[in-house]
Amino acid sequence: MTVGALVLAGGFGRRMGQPKATVDLEGRTLLGRSIDCVSGLAREVVVCARDSAQELPPLRDQRVVFDRSPGGGPLQAIATGLSALATVDRAIVLACDVPFVTTAALEALLDRLDSQSDGVVPKFDGRAQPLCAVYRTSLLEPLEALLEAGEQRAMSLTEFDKVLVLSEAESAAIDPSGSAAFDIDTPEQLEAARRRLRGG
């Protein structure tokens, strides 16, 4: 089976004060960090941006697609990305604001996606992480039905019968540092990330 990757970069970053895709973290943008994390695992990497006016850092050979309705939320962005990745069987979905996720952790999630599952989602601190997960691209059709019914929550992906939400113990075995749960939404969280990178 073939693997693609979708990096979500279309958020407005209101709490951050700027779009998070271009935020610098120790010399690398948040978007660049996420792209680097998935590139070794995926045949194709797609970036979902808000619209053509959104500023993005320089990309290499990644394809950019745009939200159907700017600001429509991550569930819509995932549908847009899965549609763009129609030539692959599995897709890594990763938000651009999760800078400490490792390639090894994502590879372990891919390994857990067996023939009985349509997705694998880790769980940390009592909360599933649907924006740091792997899904079959065949989920696009039921996902579109959710959107047509007015659903906007990314967490609704975890409610599909064949999407496996790992236990916290299983998630910790894959990602001992809990990196999938460390996202950056505010300047304070950005500063905490900088301290973490500096060993502080």
Side-chain angles (χ1 to χ4, degrees), residues 26-56:
E26 300 298 281
R28 295 164 64 197
T29 64
L30 293 184
L31 178 57
R33 286 177 176 274
S34 291
I35 289 173
D36 288 345
C37 185
V38 300
S39 290
L41 299 173
R43 185 174 77 179
E44 180 181 13
V45 178
V46 167
V47 174
C48 188
R50 187 169 58 252
D51 54 39
S52 59
Q54 181 184 347
E55 179 186 356
L56 294 175

Side-chain angles (χ1 to χ4, degrees), residues 105-168:
L106 296 175
E107 187 172 23
L109 289 177
L110 284 168
D111 289 342
R112 289 296 304 268
L113 187 63
D114 60 25
S115 60
Q116 305 303 311
S117 304
D118 285 335
V120 181
V121 180
K123 184 177 184 180
F124 295 97
D125 300 325
R127 184 174 176 82
Q129 304 293 327
L131 304 185
C132 179
V134 298
Y135 303 101
R136 292 194 185 280
T137 53
S138 58
L139 270 182
L140 178 60
E141 185 174 342
L143 198 166
E144 294 278 16
L146 277 183
L147 289 168
E148 288 176 12
E151 182 62 75
Q152 296 182 331
R153 300 171 304 124
M155 198 65 73
S156 64
L157 287 167
T158 67
E159 298 165 6
F160 284 117
D161 290 340
K162 295 179 70 176
V163 170
L164 173 65
V165 178
L166 300 179
S167 69
E168 298 219 18

Side-chain angles (χ1 to χ4, degrees), residues 10-12 14 49-51 54 67-74 76-77 152:
F12 287 98
R14 292 186 178 92
R50 187 169 58 252
D51 54 39
Q54 181 184 347
D67 284 339
R68 301 168 195 172
S69 302
Q76 175 190 258
Q152 296 182 331

